[in-house]
Amino acid sequence: MVIKTLKDLSEDRKAYRFINGVLVEKTVGAVLPDTEGNAEQIKQVIAKFKSELENTENQAVAWKNKYNIKSQREVMSEQAVAK
């Protein structure tokens, strides 16, 4: 949203940015590349976390299957189907 707004503005217009808790005055031309870089890094981190989450979920399922572990909900649904 910020990038979309900044792209429409003149590059020499004032822009304010928080850097380590300090509000800094810069130009849109200086802030926009930094903001785009930060957005790209955030996307990469999110993709990495999703990959790690998927890997961990797969490991948990394999562990449950290896030791035949079932949740209470799974046990109750099996009992309901058996009736």
Side-chain angles (χ1 to χ4, degrees):
M1 186 167 135
V2 173
I3 294 171
K4 187 177 179 182
T5 303
L6 288 177
K7 283 188 176 185
D8 296 336
L9 299 176
S10 171
E11 288 192 7
D12 58 344
R13 184 172 172 163
K14 288 183 187 178
Y16 296 92
R17 180 170 180 220
F18 264 109
I19 300 176
N20 295 328
V22 178
L23 186 61
V24 179
E25 180 182 325
K26 293 187 174 188
T27 63
V28 170
V31 170
L32 187 58
D34 294 340
T35 306
E36 289 172 334
N38 288 347
E40 184 59 35
Q41 288 176 350
I42 290 170
K43 288 177 186 176
Q44 290 173 358
V45 168
I46 289 171
K48 181 180 175 187
F49 283 154
K50 284 182 180 180
S51 173
E52 289 179 14
L53 176 63
E54 185 177 315
N55 184 29
T56 303
E57 287 174 342
N58 291 338
Q59 289 176 352
V61 169
W63 182 77
K64 277 180 63 175
N65 291 337
K66 180 178 178 181
Y67 294 105
N68 196 25
I69 297 173
K70 297 180 183 174
S71 67
Q72 187 67 29
R73 181 178 288 164
E74 292 170 335
V75 171
M76 293 179 73
S77 66
E78 286 178 1
Q79 289 173 353
V81 171
K83 287 183 181 182

